Structures are given as structure tokens and as C-alpha cells.
Amino acid sequence: MSSPHATQPSSHNAPSSPRPTPEPSGPRIIAVPDSFKGSVSAAEAAAALARGARAVFGAGARIRELPFADGGEGTLDALLAAWGTPALTVAASDALGRPREARYGISSDGRTGLIEAAEGNGLPHVADVPLQPLRADSHGVGLIARRLLDDGVGEVLLCIGGSASTDGGTGLLRALGARFTDDAGAEVPPGGAGLARIAAVDLEGLHPRARGVRWRIAVDVENPLCGERGAAAVFGPQKGAGPGEVEALDAGLARFARVLARHGGHDGHAGDAEVEASGFLEAPGFGAAGGLPLALVALLGAETVPGAELVGDAVGLRGALATADIVLTGEGSFDEQSLGGKVVDAVRRHAPEAASVVVIAGTVRLSAAACRRAGITAALSIARGPAELAALQADAAELIEDAAAQACALLAPARTGAPGYFR
């Protein structure tokens, strides 16, 4: 008789069950900064904030990087980083019509196109020659838009800061096939100089998809189209316009608004032209980028949206912040303007009430009391002491990382060694 133990499998040969990977149990942290102008991009700043948080909380922390922007400079890079898609290029032109390669973007699902208008009418690209405020136009922006329409997107996000033109969007519409003619039926000259001569709008040759897509324009100012706070008066001088040119541009924009009101706009049905023209002249944000929203709203049904809100929708800001325990945000200079539609403002408004919201900035100009009233837990400067701007810019990534670590150390109960956090 065989031994009863003979058929028993050896414990050494028994398969071992894999050990489950422990779920991270540390705080949920989201790094959602703007760029630090002149030093690091929003993506680089987010990575630095994340490194600082990880140095304190270790591998247990659940950290997400979400580069952000307010619709101005850097928005293209921030959204491409959030979408995980590369920058594309198209043959376009600068504000004076000289050829240049312009960057643009398309979301990962192919539905949304992104234009940073300064790629086609930005001041930096015409800084090598004397500024020409009456000639500069937005035609290059329209060439980028035409490519997106050809690519089949269903929505175009247009970020319009930093422009060299004051043409009411006529150059952009020309690139899409529109014609602007004078009393004799001849096409008017491009740029702001032609605005005062426009008598009619011809959309016969308009790109077939131009009025079928959704257009959203990111604006970061509330200036109206005309008047003492208008596009020409406020922004014309930085584009090279003297007093006489400011007056001519302001009058041209007003005339163009009246022509568009008589034309009937996006739906082709003219209502009360004077009421329509008044709406165009007084609408907040129409003075942005030399009146660029005017033609797009009137002829294509575009919407104007605060820049940070538009970017927030595009990257899913509200959902990303919903479960955050600690929110790390920041920008180059944190002051009262930061709470008026900029990146920090959007972040603090959408952050959960129970979350700790920390601002890391090159310069902090708000008091602790002002931060508390705004729902911000703390604001820390990256400067370790008196420092020149150039030095801060050169070491910005390292300094942002260190400031984030300092902030997280204050939020972590280090004396107990626990992985939790407190407000």
C-alpha cells in the first residue's frame, strides 16, 4: 500500500498567487499652471509642480499634470500638451502678407481645430520692419482657418491675443473667400485702411464649410469695438498707430459695423440695422485683436468666450479638478488681475471647496487676507530672496519645483509620517 503522503503535491511546487499592486493612497494632486512668461511653458511649469509634490508625498500621491492658459500667448502649446497631439504647420503669412509657416492644432478626436491668431498676425513676426497699422491685416489667420475647414473639423477655437492688425477680421474672411467692395463694386485695400471704404459684403465665394462649423473666439479683454476704450484707441498705439491713424481706424471699424448690420449677418436676415450696429459697437470683447471678432460674429455666427473658460472647456478643467485634494497652480505674476478671468481665477472657481489651492508665482502681490477671500489657501513666490528677473527666469523650473515642495510640506502631516494631508 502506498503511503498516503505520496500523492500530496509538494508545497514547493504549488503556484503562488501574485501579490496585488497596492492602490496609491496619498492625496489627489493636480498641477494646473499657466506659463511663466519668458521662462517656462505651462507644460514645463506643470511638470515642475508635480516634481515638487512628488518629493514630499512620494509614490503614493496621485498627481496629474494639466497645462493651462487663458486664451492668449501659450494657449496653443498648453492645449496641445493637454490633448497629447503634435503641432501641425501650414503655409500662411504674417500681418504684412509675407510668407511664413504657421502652427495650429487639432484635438485627438479630430473634431476641434485650434488657432493661435498671432501665428498669422502677431506683432513679433513684423518686429523687423517699421509697424504699418493701416496695412496690417489678419489674412494669415484666415489661411490657417481654411486649412482646418479643409481638414474637416466641426469646431474652430480661435485665440486672438498679440495681434499687429486692426482690420475688423476682414483679412481672415478674405482668406475664406469673402469680398469687401466699395461703392463702385471694386475690392477695397486690405488692412485697416480699407475699412472706411467698405460699402458691401459678397459671400458668394465663401468656403462651403465656413458657416457650418462652430466658431468660438477666446477674448481676454472687455474693450468694445470703438470709442475711447475701443480697439484703435487702446491697442492701436502699440501697433504703431499715431493719433491720426487711431482716428481713421476707429472710424473705419464703426463704418464696417454699420455695413455688416445692413448686410443681415449670419442668418442673412437684416433686422433693425441701427440696433444691430449699436450691438456690434458696444459688445464687450469686440475690441480684442483689432476688432477681429466683428466679422466672425456678424458673418459666421461666432461666439466670444472668456479665454480661460474656453480653454477650460477644451481640456475638461471642471472634471479634472472635481476630486482634487490639493491644487497647485501658478503664473509669472500673481496680482488682482489674476482674479479677473485669468488662469488662477478659473482654477480657484472650479476647485472643490475642500481642496487646498496653492498659487506658485514669480511675484506675489496679494496679501494673505486677499488670498483667503478669493478661496486660495496660500500664494508663494519662487524667489528665495532678492533676485534679478533674469536669474529667476533662468532657474524658473527648479525654483517652481522647490516652492511646490515647500507648499506640500506644509500640507502634509510630516510629524506623523502619515500619507494624508490637511487644509
Side-chain angles (χ1 to χ4, degrees):
M1 180 179 292
S2 60
S3 167
H5 300 289
T7 59
Q8 297 298 315
S10 168
S11 62
H12 295 289
N13 296 325
S16 58
S17 299
R19 291 185 177 181
T21 302
E23 290 291 324
S25 57
R28 295 180 178 87
I29 303 170
I30 183 164
V32 55
D34 195 355
S35 63
F36 283 56
K37 302 296 187 291
S39 51
V40 295
S41 68
E44 292 167 335
L49 291 172
R51 289 194 301 270
R54 197 169 290 112
V56 174
F57 291 106
R62 291 160 286 184
I63 303 174
R64 178 178 176 184
E65 299 171 26
L66 187 64
F68 204 62
D70 62 8
E73 177 189 353
T75 299
L76 177 63
D77 290 329
L79 277 181
L80 291 178
W83 286 342
T85 58
L88 305 171
T89 59
V90 60
S93 59
D94 66 18
L96 298 179
R98 300 177 300 180
R100 72 175 307 271
E101 287 287 308
R103 301 186 309 147
Y104 68 100
I106 298 179
S107 61
S108 55
D109 61 10
R111 297 175 182 173
T112 302
L114 175 65
I115 301 172
E116 194 166 292
E119 288 284 317
N121 73 340
L123 271 169
H125 302 303
V126 293
D128 60 317
V129 296
L131 295 174
Q132 301 179 50
L134 296 179
R135 176 186 166 195
D137 80 348
S138 57
H139 188 267
V141 186
L143 294 176
I144 308 172
R146 175 175 282 276
R147 168 58 64 85
L148 284 173
L149 297 180
D150 290 343
D151 287 342
V153 301
E155 178 178 24
V156 177
L157 306 182
L158 179 59
C159 305
I160 60 174
S163 75
S165 58
T166 308
D167 72 344
T170 51
L172 191 159
L173 267 292
R174 274 196 183 91
L176 297 183
R179 297 175 67 246
F180 301 96
T181 56
D182 61 19
D183 289 320
E187 287 201 54
V188 302
L195 292 174
R197 293 170 54 182
I198 296 176
V201 180
D202 178 2
L203 300 181
E204 190 68 28
L206 190 67
H207 192 291
R209 300 194 66 244
R211 290 195 279 189
V213 303
R214 182 186 188 190
W215 294 83
R216 289 201 291 162
I217 307 171
V219 296
D220 59 358
V221 299
E222 295 186 349
N223 301 72
L225 184 68
C226 296
E228 62 182 18
R229 295 184 57 249
V234 175
F235 304 110
Q238 71 191 42
K239 303 175 186 184
E245 291 163 319
V246 165
E247 185 177 344
L249 291 169
D250 191 71
L253 288 169
R255 176 187 172 101
F256 185 38
R258 291 191 291 271
V259 170
L260 291 174
R262 292 196 304 270
H263 177 80
H266 180 235
D267 59 9
H269 297 89
D272 186 323
E274 286 303 315
V275 172
E276 287 289 329
S278 176
F280 293 151
L281 293 172
E282 298 172 4
F286 271 44
L292 188 64
L294 175 61
L296 275 77
V297 172
L299 300 175
L300 303 182
E303 311 161 50
T304 58
V305 184
E309 180 182 322
L310 183 148
V311 178
D313 288 346
V315 302
L317 177 66
R318 188 185 298 272
L321 291 173
T323 60
D325 299 314
I326 298 173
V327 179
L328 301 175
T329 185
E331 60 184 355
S333 179
F334 179 53
D335 52 31
E336 285 288 349
Q337 292 187 5
S338 304
L339 303 180
K342 301 295 186 180
V343 166
V344 172
D345 184 44
V347 171
R348 57 122 184 183
R349 286 189 291 106
H350 293 306
E353 187 175 346
S356 296
V357 179
V358 177
V359 177
I360 305 296
T363 302
V364 174
R365 301 189 186 279
L366 290 185
S367 67
C371 287
R372 285 197 300 274
R373 288 194 297 270
I376 293 167
T377 307
L380 303 179
S381 170
I382 64 173
R384 294 170 178 163
E388 297 289 335
L389 176 60
L392 293 177
Q393 290 178 327
D395 299 327
E398 176 190 341
L399 294 171
I400 292 168
E401 177 182 342
D402 187 69
Q406 297 275 24
C408 287
L410 293 173
L411 296 171
R415 60 183 177 275
T416 66
Y421 65 96
F422 63 86
R423 183 169 173 77

